[in-house]
Amino acid sequence: MKRLHALVIGAGIGGMAAAIALRRAGLEVSLFEQTVAQREVGAGIQISPNASRLLGRYGLGDAMARVAVRPTAIVFRRWQDGRVLGREELGDSIESQFGAPYYHFHRADLIALLADAFGPKDIKLGRRLVDIEQDESGVTAHFQDGASERGDLLIGADGIHSCVRERLFGEEKPRFSGQIAYRGLAPAERVAHLRLPLDVTNWVGPGGHFVHYYVSSGRFLNFIAVSEEASWTREQWSDRGSVSDAVSNYQGWHPQVATILTAVDETFKWALFDRNPLPRWTQGRVALLGDACHPMLPFMAQGAAQAIEDGATLAASLRNMAYDVPRALQAYVALRKLRTTTLQERSQAFSKSFHLPDGPEQIDRDRTFAREGLRGDAEAMRRLYGHDAESATAAQGER
Ligand SMILES: Cc1cc2nc3c(=O)[nH]c(=O)nc-3n(C[C@H](O)[C@H](O)[C@H](O)COP(=O)(O)OP(=O)(O)OC[C@H]3O[C@@H](n4cnc5c(N)ncnc54)[C@H](O)[C@@H]3O)c2cc1C
C-alpha cells in the first residue's frame, strides 16, 4: 500500500507532537512553520501525566527528565496572608498513580526536545500557509512564497488564529476573555532567599491570581500573573510589559508576590483569548488540532497537553481505519471533541472562581479547594490524568 503523506501546518507543541505520532504510525510527514526560526516565549509550561505518558512513548523520557522539574504538589494560597487553601500531591504520588510524571518545562526546552525528536532539519521553516485546496485524491497547501505541496491529508496545527480553520469554516475572531497575563522568568539565585519548595503555587484573590513554579532543572522560577483588563486594543496579542504595572495589579497582596515579580529584568504581557467550542474540526482530508480547534484559557494548564493527546489519537485513528483518511479524521474528531469541550468549559469556569472577591462565594470555593483541590475527586483525576489517548482510540477501533 502507498505510504500516506501528511502535511502538518504549524510547528508549535501540538504540530510537532502530531508530526512525531504520525511518523510513528508509518506516514511520511512534511511539517511547515511560518516563522524563520523556531522560538517560544520565555515562559514555563506544565505537562501533566496524560501528555508526558505519550511523549515518553515517543522516546522522550530521558530527555524530559534531564531538562524538566518534577513538582511535589499544587498548592493554593490566599492572596492576602498566604494561608494554604488546598494542596494536591504531585511528584511520586501522581507518577505512581498514573504511570507518568507531572513536569514543568521552560517552553524553549520542550520545543527543542520535540524538534530534536522529529529532526530539526526536517522542519520547513519560513513557510506560511495562505490557502488550501482539496479534491477526492488529495490536498494542496499553498504558501506565501508561492510554493505549493501536495499530500493525502493536511493537519492545521496553526494555533488560535488558525489560517486552516479560516479556510475551512470562514473568519471568526477569537474572543478577548477580559484577562491579561504577565509572564516572566526569574533567575533562581534572585529568589533563593524565599526558600520556595518545588511546588506549583497558585495565589488566588480578588480580580486576579498569581502562579509560580521552577523550570529548566531549577535554574529559573517562572511566573504567570493574571489580572482583569476591560479591553485589548493592540493589534498583536502579546507585548513587552512593565514590571511596575504588573506589581500595581497586586497591591495589598502578600509581599512574596511583588518580590517574585520584581526579580525579573523583563516581563511579557499576553491577552488571553478563547473561543466557544467549534461545531466542526474537519472537512474531507483536512482536520484541525490543538489551539486551532479548542483553545482554552490556561486555568487548568491543559491546552498543550490536549494538543499532544490530539496527535496521538489522530495517528491511532488513521491506523485503526486502515488509513482511510476522511473516515479516520471523523473518528479522530468523535474521540476528541467531548473531552476538549469539557476542559474548555471547566477552564472558563475557573477563570471566574480564581478571581472572586472575598465573600460567601469565595468561602465556598475555598472549602472546595480544601476538600478536593482543583481537579476534583479521585474519579475526576483519573479521567484527566489517567486518559490514554492512544489506547482509548484502539478501544474504539475494536467496537
Ligand atoms: C499564559 C498561558 C499559560 C499556559 N500554560 C499552559 C500549561 O501550563 N500547560 C498546558 O498544557 N498548556 C498551557 N497553555 C496553553 C498552551 O500554551 C497552548 O494550548 C499550546 O501551546 C497550543 O499549541 P499549538 O501547537 O496548538 O499552537 P501554537 O503554540 O500557537 O502553535 C501554532 C504554530 O503554528 C504556526 N503558524 C500559525 N499560522 C501559520 C501559517 N499560516 N503557516 C504556517 N505556520 C503557522 C505558529 O507560528 C506556531 O508556531 C498556556 C497558555 C497561556 C496563554
Side-chain angles (χ1 to χ4, degrees):
M1 198 171 72
K2 179 184 156 265
R3 207 168 153 219
L4 288 185
H5 180 200
L7 311 177
V8 178
I9 310 299
I13 295 167
M16 283 198 290
I20 296 166
L22 290 170
R23 203 187 252 169
R24 283 180 84 235
L27 278 78
E28 181 192 341
V29 181
S30 298
L31 174 58
F32 301 93
E33 166 57 43
Q34 66 178 356
T35 57
V36 288
Q38 270 191 309
R39 38 163 206 242
E40 252 296 347
V41 285
I45 187 154
Q46 307 184 46
I47 291 295
S48 50
N50 45 316
S52 72
R53 170 184 301 118
L54 299 167
L55 300 182
R57 233 173 252 162
Y58 302 167
L60 298 175
D62 290 345
M64 288 195 289
R66 267 197 302 278
V67 296
V69 168
R70 219 170 56 114
T72 47
I74 302 178
V75 177
F76 288 91
R77 299 184 71 176
R78 184 173 153 73
W79 64 287
Q80 214 172 21
D81 53 14
R83 186 155 46 86
V84 172
L85 303 172
R87 181 182 167 93
E88 291 170 36
E89 295 307 321
L90 298 174
D92 289 344
S93 157
I94 203 152
E95 188 163 347
S96 61
Q97 242 178 308
F98 298 111
Y102 197 107
Y103 276 139
H104 290 164
F105 288 94
H106 188 307
R107 282 177 181 254
D109 291 338
L110 181 57
I111 285 282
L113 69 85
L114 287 166
D116 280 349
F118 183 72
K121 292 207 177 89
D122 293 347
I123 303 172
K124 300 173 196 301
L125 295 169
R127 305 295 298 278
R128 181 178 167 76
L129 181 97
V130 289
D131 204 0
I132 46 182
E133 278 178 297
Q134 57 174 322
D135 53 44
E136 279 181 10
S137 68
V139 50
T140 306
H142 298 288
F143 296 92
Q144 197 170 37
D145 58 9
S148 312
E149 289 276 347
R150 180 94 175 150
D152 299 293
L153 64 153
L154 182 143
I155 303 303
D158 50 348
I160 189 167
H161 302 284
S162 170
C163 167
V164 177
R165 187 194 150 286
E166 196 183 303
R167 291 287 150 209
L168 291 187
F169 305 121
E171 193 184 349
E172 192 196 302
K173 294 245 179 286
R175 178 183 52 220
F176 175 53
S177 66
Q179 292 165 342
I180 52 157
Y182 286 89
R183 300 158 107 180
L185 290 167
E189 59 278 11
R190 294 196 195 162
V191 289
H193 62 288
L194 298 175
R195 297 182 192 289
L196 299 171
L198 280 188
D199 291 339
V200 44
T201 305
N202 193 341
W203 302 76
V204 290
H209 74 286
F210 182 75
V211 181
H212 56 81
Y213 53 82
Y214 280 103
V215 298
S216 295
S217 314
R219 290 197 307 281
F220 295 99
L221 184 73
N222 169 70
F223 70 74
I224 306 162
V226 179
S227 52
E228 289 167 14
E229 195 156 295
S231 62
W232 182 265
T233 46
R234 281 175 293 283
E235 181 74 10
Q236 66 276 53
W237 57 306
S238 91
D239 212 347
R240 206 166 278 272
S242 114
V243 173
S244 59
D245 284 352
V247 172
S248 69
N249 290 333
Y250 293 89
Q251 269 175 22
W253 287 52
H254 190 284
Q256 207 172 87
V257 172
T259 306
I260 294 170
L261 279 168
T262 50
V264 296
D265 296 321
E266 59 174 7
T267 170
F268 287 87
K269 195 175 167 181
W270 289 66
L272 299 184
F273 283 91
D274 73 348
R275 291 182 189 280
N276 288 330
L278 277 183
R280 294 171 66 199
W281 297 5
T282 184
Q283 196 179 80
R285 296 174 168 274
V286 181
L288 302 172
L289 175 149
D291 276 12
C293 51
H294 51 66
M296 48 188 85
L297 294 171
F299 296 83
M300 293 201 62
Q302 279 296 312
Q306 292 307 308
I308 293 167
E309 285 190 9
D310 287 345
T313 300
L314 174 69
S317 293
L318 280 155
R319 257 192 323 249
N320 291 342
M321 297 289 169
Y323 302 93
D324 174 339
V325 172
R327 270 186 69 221
L329 297 188
Q330 277 168 20
Y332 150 72
V333 177
L335 280 158
R336 296 297 302 152
K337 208 142 190 288
L338 177 61
R339 180 167 170 82
T340 56
T341 300
T342 306
L343 286 167
Q344 278 178 294
E345 289 168 354
R346 286 182 68 193
S347 302
Q348 207 162 45
F350 281 126
S351 76
K352 303 214 167 38
S353 83
F354 278 18
H355 296 184
L356 287 172
D358 285 353
E361 279 190 277
Q362 159 265 324
I363 293 170
D364 268 3
R365 177 204 64 197
D366 291 355
R367 284 202 190 108
T368 310
F369 277 159
R371 205 175 47 244
E372 55 188 39
L374 174 68
R375 274 93 179 146
D377 60 15
E379 175 52 22
M381 292 267 286
R382 191 195 58 72
R383 277 202 303 271
L384 181 56
Y385 296 144
H387 183 81
D388 185 330
E390 270 185 335
S391 62
T393 317
Q396 196 219 27
E398 284 154 17
R399 276 204 293 272

